[in-house]
Amino acid sequence: MSRSKAAAQDESGVDPLSMSIILMEDMIEKLKVLNYDNEFVNTVKVKPLSRHYFVIQTNPGEQFFMFTSLAVFLINKAGIILEYPQEYDDPNSTIASILDAIRQLEIDVDFPPNKLKQGHGQHVIYILDSLCNKILENIKYKWLKPQFPKEETIEEVIPEDDSEVLQEQIEDELMARDSDEDEENLLNIDDLYAVNNVPKAISKADEILESTTNFDDWKLELERVLPQLRVIIKTNARDWRSNLDQMKMYRDKTKDIMKAARPQLDKLRSDLVENLDKITSREKSLNSQLEQLLQEYRIAQDELARVTNRFQELSGGIEERQRQLSQATSALETVKQKIEDRSSCMTDGSPLVNLKKAISIVKGDIVSMDVKLGVLEHNLLKARLRDKTMSQNYVNADALFVS
């Protein structure tokens, strides 16, 4: 909240807590106009805000998450796209992104970002209320005057009670009875003419009427019907007379309280104005004393920004050279591996040993084959000799038989 608003609050005599409650209630109404029930509560899956949710501290972690989520929702609705924060995100980066978007919307923020880490307080409410006002201004929303419904007068039906008689019923009955008696007592012209013609002796009462009721009986009868003659007046809440009397009573009480409190309030106002003037003068003096340091600080910030940009440019070149170096290193390792494989093949005698073993095995196989061939030739020779002997024996036998 800006210093001008804070000064206005101090001058009006409203404490920050009361102002926060009023702003929070107005903000809830603005959020309802922006349809946050369907677009935020149902989307993020959270509970609707109470009317004093951000006024006092209840659960700082939950309140901070709700504040950041609601602020991002309003910023997106204002036209700047931000991603919804997660529960384990860095709060400093989240607040920094929200404040950058708020500055883009041309909303004044003249308090440190640490005030928003609490998740409650007048600064949080100020941010959300300013975003609501910005969105309503963008959509050109106009507040209309309230239209109050016409109150229908409903007649109250009061149950009849034998033991209680309303004053109005009694008055109506008495008025009806008086009207009947008046009608009975009215005389028309004929009756008046007849009365005038009646002799005076007849018009006078013959004798004086005297009561024949016993006093004790009359007293007992009075005690018996006395409870039924109670008149109970019920107050009606809609009676304008009672409301007017209450308003007058409250007005008188307010005047009496204001008479006693006005000097104290005036004194408090004067003290606040004096302290505010002192703070303003002190601030001006500090600004004048620190002007040179602030100028140096701005120059140092500009130099830091320039060096940071240069560093980022150089860092980009270094990364490219590191990538080329890694590619060259991988190619060199491949060549080294090939050279090692070839050198190991050239100096290794295992192929020669394997060749000698193979030659010895082949020689052994040749010897075994020669032996097998010798055995086969021997068997073949024996078979031939046997066949030859048998053929000679057949020839000799044939010669003897012929002779």
Side-chain angles (χ1 to χ4, degrees):
M1 190 176 295
S2 61
R3 295 189 182 92
S4 60
K5 292 185 177 179
Q9 290 177 8
D10 293 337
E11 291 179 358
S12 60
V14 181
D15 58 335
L17 181 60
S18 301
M19 183 59 66
S20 300
I21 292 173
I22 296 171
L23 288 177
M24 181 70 190
E25 292 178 353
D26 293 341
M27 185 192 70
I28 292 294
E29 299 298 330
K30 295 172 185 176
L31 288 174
K32 290 180 179 179
V33 171
L34 296 175
N35 195 19
Y36 97 109
D37 291 328
N38 296 328
E39 298 181 6
F40 175 73
V41 175
N42 296 333
T43 303
V44 187
K45 305 298 182 183
V46 294
K47 295 181 180 179
L49 298 177
S50 61
R51 303 191 69 85
H52 304 141
Y53 183 79
F54 293 116
V55 176
I56 57 176
Q57 179 180 357
T58 55
N59 188 351
E62 179 183 352
Q63 286 178 322
F64 178 76
F65 177 70
M66 183 66 72
F67 160 67
T68 53
S69 301
L70 186 57
V72 170
F73 162 72
L74 294 174
I75 290 170
N76 292 336
K77 204 169 182 65
I80 299 175
I81 304 302
L82 287 181
E83 294 183 358
Y84 280 97
Q86 301 298 324
E87 191 174 357
Y88 299 102
D89 289 347
D90 185 12
N92 294 322
S93 61
T94 304
I95 291 175
S97 60
I98 290 174
L99 290 177
D100 291 339
I102 289 173
R103 292 188 182 96
Q104 292 179 12
L105 294 173
E106 298 180 356
I107 296 175
D108 295 333
V109 179
D110 56 355
F111 52 84
N114 294 329
K115 297 291 185 180
L116 301 178
K117 287 185 180 180
Q118 304 172 0
H120 70 280
Q122 58 182 354
H123 304 289
V124 171
I125 299 172
Y126 166 71
I127 291 293
L128 297 176
D129 186 66
S130 300
L131 288 172
C132 292
N133 293 332
K134 191 68 177 180
I135 297 171
L136 294 175
E137 182 181 354
N138 292 338
I139 64 177
K140 297 180 180 179
Y141 184 83
K142 294 183 179 179
W143 297 94
L144 301 178
K145 293 182 178 180
Q147 296 180 357
F148 300 100
K150 295 182 180 180
E151 296 183 357
E152 297 181 358
T153 57
I154 301 174
E155 296 181 357
E156 296 182 357
V157 179
I158 301 173
E160 296 182 356
D161 191 355
D162 296 336
S163 63
E164 296 180 357
V165 181
L166 296 176
Q167 184 180 5
E168 295 179 356
Q169 295 179 355
I170 295 174
E171 291 178 357
D172 294 339
E173 292 177 358
L174 292 175
M175 290 176 65
R177 188 181 302 171
D178 293 338
S179 62
D180 294 337
E181 291 178 356
D182 293 338
E183 290 179 357
E184 292 178 357
N185 294 328
L186 289 176
L187 297 175
N188 54 17
I189 298 174
D190 296 333
D191 295 335
L192 184 60
Y193 179 75
V195 170
N196 291 328
N197 293 329
V198 173
K200 295 181 180 180
I202 298 175
S203 62
K204 292 182 180 180
D206 295 335
E207 58 183 4
I208 298 173
L209 297 177
E210 294 181 359
S211 176
T212 58
T213 304
N214 190 5
F215 177 74
D216 295 332
D217 296 338
W218 178 80
K219 190 174 182 180
L220 290 174
E221 182 67 18
L222 179 62
E223 291 177 357
R224 184 180 68 82
V225 300
L226 184 60
Q228 299 180 3
L229 296 177
R230 280 187 311 173
V231 177
I232 298 175
I233 301 174
K234 292 185 177 180
T235 58
N236 189 3
R238 296 186 177 181
D239 188 9
W240 64 271
R241 297 181 182 85
S242 61
N243 293 333
L244 182 61
D245 293 337
Q246 288 182 356
M247 290 171 64
K248 290 180 179 179
M249 180 182 65
Y250 292 150
R251 184 187 63 183
D252 296 337
K253 287 183 179 180
T254 305
K255 288 182 178 179
D256 295 337
I257 294 172
M258 284 300 296
K259 288 180 181 178
R262 185 176 293 278
Q264 298 178 1
L265 293 175
D266 293 338
K267 182 180 178 182
L268 180 62
R269 179 181 177 277
S270 61
D271 293 339
L272 291 174
V273 171
E274 184 179 357
N275 292 330
L276 184 61
D277 294 337
K278 290 181 180 179
I279 292 171
T280 304
S281 61
R282 183 61 178 170
E283 183 179 1
K284 290 180 180 179
S285 63
L286 288 175
N287 290 332
S288 61
Q289 293 175 3
L290 299 176
E291 183 66 28
Q292 183 66 26
L293 296 177
L294 290 174
Q295 187 67 24
E296 294 177 357
Y297 177 71
R298 295 190 189 96
I299 295 172
Q301 277 189 335
D302 296 336
E303 184 66 21
L304 177 62
R306 187 182 64 78
V307 173
T308 304
N309 294 330
R310 181 62 179 169
F311 173 74
Q312 291 178 354
E313 293 176 358
L314 296 176
S315 299
I318 292 172
E319 291 178 356
E320 180 65 24
R321 289 176 177 80
Q322 286 180 350
R323 186 180 62 81
Q324 294 177 0
L325 177 62
S326 62
Q327 292 178 355
T329 305
S330 62
L332 180 61
E333 291 294 334
T334 304
V335 172
K336 285 183 179 179
Q337 186 66 31
K338 290 181 180 179
I339 293 172
E340 288 178 358
D341 293 339
R342 287 188 179 183
S343 63
S344 63
C345 292
M346 293 174 66
T347 59
D348 192 7
S350 58
L352 183 60
V353 174
N354 293 332
L355 183 60
K356 289 181 179 180
K357 289 182 179 179
I359 292 171
S360 63
I361 291 171
V362 170
K363 287 181 178 181
D365 292 339
I366 292 171
V367 171
S368 63
M369 290 296 290
D370 291 337
V371 173
K372 289 180 181 179
L373 288 172
V375 172
L376 289 174
E377 289 178 354
H378 177 69
N379 291 331
L380 181 59
L381 180 60
K382 285 176 65 177
R384 286 178 179 177
L385 290 173
R386 187 173 59 250
D387 293 339
K388 186 176 182 180
T389 302
M390 288 178 66
S391 63
Q392 288 178 0
N393 289 333
Y394 286 142
V395 170
N396 292 331
D398 288 339
L400 288 176
F401 181 71
V402 170
S403 62

